[in-house]
Amino acid sequence: MKKTVKIILAACAAVVSLCLAAILVVTVVIDPNEYKDEIIQLVRQKTERELTFEGDIGLNFYPYIGFKVGAVALGNAPGFPDLEMARINNAEVSLRLIPLLSGKVSVGKVILDGLSLHLVKNSQGISNWDDLTGVSKEADITSTDLPTAPENGGSVLNFEDISVQGVEITDANLLYTDLQKDSETSIGNLNLRLGAIHGSSSFPFDLGFEFKLDQPNITLQPQITGNIQLNPVAKTVAIENLALSVLDLSLTGQVHAEVQSGAPSFYGTIQLANTSLRELITKFGVNIPDMPDSDALKRFSAEIEFNGTDNSAELKALTIKLDDSTLTANGKIVDFATPQISITALVDAFDADRYLPSQTKPESGNKPEQETDSAQPAKEPNLEALRNLAMDAQLKIGSFKVKNIQATNILINVDAHDGVLSVAPSLNLYDGKFEAHTRLDTNSETPLWSGSGTLQELDTRSLLQDLLGKDVISGTASVEYNLFGSGLTPDGIKKTVSGTAAFAVTEGAVLGVDIAKMIRDSWNKIMGADEEGDETGNFDFSRLEASATLKNGHISNNDLLFDSPLVESIGAGWADLPDNKIDYKAMVTVVGSLEGLEGEILDTVKDIPLPLRVKGKLNEPSIGLDEEAIAQLLVTAGISVGLDTLADSLLGEMDEDKSYVDEAGADDSDDDSDDLFGDLF
């Protein structure tokens, strides 16, 4: 038995010795550099490219079988500039001998230095790598050509028996030129280092490079580190301790991927550490306008948890913090071919005023640019994406402030299916409630739209006080509208908008405007009496309301009503949006009495309607009293008491000083009377 073992061991030793001797003979006797010409000729025949060896090809022997090549360059494809497509400075790979005897593969460090790759797409859309990636028609690969697992009794190399001492790629450069778009993208100074790889054990990696775009002009220098774990048996890949730093951004996280029953899936988490969004934006060459809050955009962070498959993706949780606001969201996409999207988002509070540009006064002498008639008519937007969109989305905002106007409990539901987009917002606004529904149908050549909404119990005083910073009007307002039309251009909307609209303001007042005092002051001026003091009251009214009917941009109203203790008004008229015209008349009637003013003068004009006319272009209307109506007022009312009182006053003065009456004096007297009546009317 011992003799047999000795014979077997001796035979194995002899075989190993012969193999080592053969390898030694090959490495010593055979010079691979002698085959350069054959290799060059073979590449030229297969690819019509030129392969150039600028360095030597070397072989190592023990303890590694090593292959090393110096500088090599591969020429461009026919029809492209006579430049190199690819080049390396040197490459090296080796394999240990002894582990092979036990069925294991131990690879030394793989080195690739100075890789340079220039990819080009010409003006016809042909790339200089198309001929290398295309499959030959004469040699189509079929399933029978692929390697198959060995039959029972065979052996398969175990992944745990494979090890690589490391991978080192240094000073690699990639340049992509697109002549169709006249653009260039480059990745330069790329360095990748992989630690020792042994089966399914985790190994570290370190990747850094410089990324450049010329349109837009962007330069990034990311650095990525982490640990990779591969397990072909379980068909899993995991990247742990992932860390990415770029532009002062610091991201960490983990990503896992696996294939089960032929279906790939993935999941992971990513965290963005707190950073200054203001500084990040400026690094892209964007100037940030002055903002009311100098600390705006200085605190930004995010966390994301996700998973998915080859045909779906889910946003399990997203948290974004910007200054004092927090957004949380989740959503998913199912079926990438015909995506079904669902999103839910919640914002606790957002103050838009912090981010709006500071108000600046225009420089003296600078006038806003006037629009010219040469402007091209607007075109309908391309809504093809909406036609294929299937989405359900919901956004909730606890509170929102813009232009100092505050809204709370905001809810926006969005639904898009079969080419129809529906948006339904609701919110609380200064003790009022706003609810609306808007629908956009993109299935026709010209999109169809409709919208309806109501606003109830709005406190106008608080709203306008926040908006304007002062008291203007008080009252409880309500608005209701139901409109529809076609087209999304300004002209299209003007020409097709149709439907109804109405508003009402009840129990209100024009604050700081005392109409009664204005009338008394005017009358006192006529009578030569002193005006009242500076203290003013408010012009109270019980109701202001109107409704309108719209048809193809033509707006009609016939029920304007203004009701107050002193003045009542009714109005009717029309406005045409396509023609930019308006013709509207309001009848103003004094119905009350003025405390402190002689009743006789008021009685002469009381209950006589005075028409106010608005006419002309919508953007430049003429507003004034109807001259015929004024004449009728003077004739009908006579303002007899006022004229008698004025005449008595003038005659009394003339009796006291007869010399006052002469031709010149008479002319002056008439001029004074005209001024007085002018002030009154």
Side-chain angles (χ1 to χ4, degrees), residues 273-315:
N274 190 51
T275 189
S276 172
L277 198 58
R278 178 183 292 266
E279 294 181 5
L280 178 64
I281 294 173
T282 56
K283 287 185 178 181
F284 283 98
V286 179
N287 293 324
I288 299 178
D290 292 335
M291 297 179 179
D293 186 352
S294 59
D295 291 329
L297 301 177
K298 285 189 175 181
R299 290 176 290 137
F300 180 76
S301 62
E303 295 184 11
I304 180 173
E305 181 182 353
F306 58 89
N307 61 41
T309 67
D310 60 341
N311 197 37
S312 66
E314 181 177 5
L315 183 65

Side-chain angles (χ1 to χ4, degrees), residues 311-360:
N311 197 37
S312 66
E314 181 177 5
L315 183 65
K316 293 283 291 184
L318 170 66
T319 301
I320 297 176
K321 294 184 177 181
L322 176 62
D323 298 327
D324 297 321
S325 301
T326 300
L327 164 71
T328 57
N330 60 75
K332 61 182 178 180
I333 302 176
V334 179
D335 190 359
F336 292 149
T338 56
Q340 309 285 323
I341 305 171
S342 61
I343 304 172
T344 300
L346 172 65
V347 178
D348 57 351
F350 188 75
D351 184 356
D353 289 339
R354 298 180 63 181
Y355 309 97
L356 295 177
S358 299
Q359 296 293 332
T360 57

Side-chain angles (χ1 to χ4, degrees), residues 96-367:
R96 292 188 65 183
L97 292 173
I98 301 302
L100 289 174
L101 300 177
S102 59
K104 297 182 179 180
V105 176
S106 179
V107 180
K109 181 175 289 187
V110 178
I111 297 175
L112 179 62
D113 177 61
L115 170 65
S116 179
L117 190 61
H118 188 187
L119 305 178
V120 181
K121 178 183 286 186
N122 63 21
S123 56
Q124 287 76 39
I126 301 174
S127 304
N128 65 342
W129 66 88
D130 287 347
D131 60 321
L132 299 179
T133 58
V135 179
S136 173
K137 294 181 180 180
E138 292 82 7
D140 290 338
I141 298 177
T142 64
S143 59
T144 57
D145 299 320
L146 299 176
T148 58
E151 298 178 358
N152 294 336
S155 61
V156 178
L157 182 64
N158 193 327
F159 184 72
E160 298 295 331
D161 295 331
I162 300 175
S163 64
V164 180
Q165 188 175 342
V167 177
E168 189 172 293
I169 300 175
T170 56
D171 195 23
N173 296 276
L174 168 65
L175 175 63
Y176 173 62
T177 302
D178 190 333
L179 298 178
Q180 281 187 321
K181 299 180 179 179
D182 191 25
S183 65
E184 283 190 352
T185 304
S186 67
I187 296 177
N189 195 27
L190 184 147
N191 294 279
L192 172 63
R193 291 177 174 83
L194 304 181
I197 303 171
H198 183 78
S200 58
S201 298
S202 176
F203 60 90
F205 75 94
D206 187 334
L207 172 64
F209 57 90
E210 183 179 70
F211 177 78
K212 288 186 177 181
L213 282 175
D214 65 344
Q215 296 181 9
N217 187 8
I218 296 176
T219 300
L220 302 175
Q221 294 179 317
Q223 190 71 32
I224 309 172
T225 61
N227 296 86
I228 300 177
Q229 186 174 27
L230 304 173
N231 191 333
V233 177
K235 297 181 180 180
T236 62
V237 178
I239 303 178
E240 300 283 354
N241 304 319
L242 177 65
L244 166 64
S245 59
V246 59
L247 291 175
D248 294 333
L249 295 177
S250 178
L251 293 97
T252 58
Q254 57 179 343
V255 179
H256 295 258
E258 61 181 21
V259 177
Q260 298 294 337
S261 302
S265 62
F266 62 89
Y267 66 93
T269 59
I270 296 176
Q271 298 84 34
L272 171 64
N274 190 51
T275 189
S276 172
L277 198 58
R278 178 183 292 266
E279 294 181 5
L280 178 64
I281 294 173
T282 56
K283 287 185 178 181
F284 283 98
V286 179
N287 293 324
I288 299 178
D290 292 335
M291 297 179 179
D293 186 352
S294 59
D295 291 329
L297 301 177
K298 285 189 175 181
R299 290 176 290 137
F300 180 76
S301 62
E303 295 184 11
I304 180 173
E305 181 182 353
F306 58 89
N307 61 41
T309 67
D310 60 341
N311 197 37
S312 66
E314 181 177 5
L315 183 65
K316 293 283 291 184
L318 170 66
T319 301
I320 297 176
K321 294 184 177 181
L322 176 62
D323 298 327
D324 297 321
S325 301
T326 300
L327 164 71
T328 57
N330 60 75
K332 61 182 178 180
I333 302 176
V334 179
D335 190 359
F336 292 149
T338 56
Q340 309 285 323
I341 305 171
S342 61
I343 304 172
T344 300
L346 172 65
V347 178
D348 57 351
F350 188 75
D351 184 356
D353 289 339
R354 298 180 63 181
Y355 309 97
L356 295 177
S358 299
Q359 296 293 332
T360 57
K361 295 182 180 180
E363 297 181 4
S364 58
N366 291 345
K367 297 182 179 180

Side-chain angles (χ1 to χ4, degrees), residues 449 483-485 489-499 501 548-556 573-583 616-620:
W449 57 266
L483 304 173
F484 59 91
T489 64
D491 286 342
I493 295 174
K494 289 179 182 179
K495 293 178 180 179
T496 63
V497 59
S498 304
T549 301
L550 298 86
K551 185 174 182 180
N552 296 328
H554 188 86
I555 307 173
S556 300
W574 58 266
D576 195 273
L577 298 179
D579 290 340
N580 192 37
K581 293 181 179 180
I582 184 172
D583 190 356
K617 294 183 178 180
L618 272 172
N619 56 337
E620 295 179 355

Side-chain angles (χ1 to χ4, degrees), residues 350-547:
F350 188 75
D351 184 356
D353 289 339
R354 298 180 63 181
Y355 309 97
L356 295 177
S358 299
Q359 296 293 332
T360 57
K361 295 182 180 180
E363 297 181 4
S364 58
N366 291 345
K367 297 182 179 180
E369 295 183 1
Q370 299 292 329
E371 296 184 2
T372 61
D373 295 336
S374 60
Q376 296 294 326
K379 296 182 179 180
E380 292 291 341
N382 187 351
L383 302 177
E384 186 63 33
L386 287 178
R387 295 189 181 101
N388 301 318
L389 179 64
M391 180 177 69
D392 295 292
Q394 184 181 85
L395 172 63
K396 294 182 179 180
I397 305 176
S399 64
F400 182 82
K401 183 164 80 75
V402 61
K403 295 294 185 181
N404 212 38
I405 298 176
Q406 302 187 55
T408 59
N409 297 327
I410 301 171
L411 174 63
I412 303 175
N413 289 311
V414 180
D415 177 274
H417 290 88
D418 302 322
V420 178
L421 173 66
S422 298
V423 181
S426 65
L427 55 89
N428 294 337
L429 186 68
Y430 295 93
D431 296 333
K433 179 72 173 181
F434 173 73
E435 295 180 323
H437 182 269
T438 302
R439 186 176 187 272
L440 177 64
D441 189 340
T442 66
N443 290 303
S444 57
E445 183 176 352
T446 302
L448 306 176
W449 57 266
S450 63
S452 60
T454 59
L455 174 62
Q456 300 291 338
E457 303 296 325
L458 175 68
D459 180 359
T460 59
R461 182 173 189 173
S462 299
L463 171 65
L464 295 175
Q465 190 174 45
D466 281 350
L467 177 62
L468 304 176
K470 58 182 179 180
D471 280 336
V472 180
I473 297 177
S474 68
T476 301
S478 63
V479 178
E480 183 176 355
Y481 66 90
N482 190 349
L483 304 173
F484 59 91
S486 62
L488 297 179
T489 64
D491 286 342
I493 295 174
K494 289 179 182 179
K495 293 178 180 179
T496 63
V497 59
S498 304
T500 59
F503 79 93
V505 181
T506 59
E507 303 303 326
V510 181
L511 304 174
V513 178
D514 194 338
I515 300 296
K517 180 180 181 302
M518 293 170 60
I519 296 177
R520 287 194 297 267
D521 287 345
S522 297
W523 179 251
N524 289 335
K525 184 176 181 180
I526 294 175
M527 300 302 298
D530 294 334
E531 296 183 5
E532 298 181 5
D534 294 334
E535 294 184 3
T536 60
N538 301 321
F539 180 38
D540 297 326
F541 62 89
S542 58
R543 191 167 190 85
L544 170 63
E545 64 180 22
S547 65

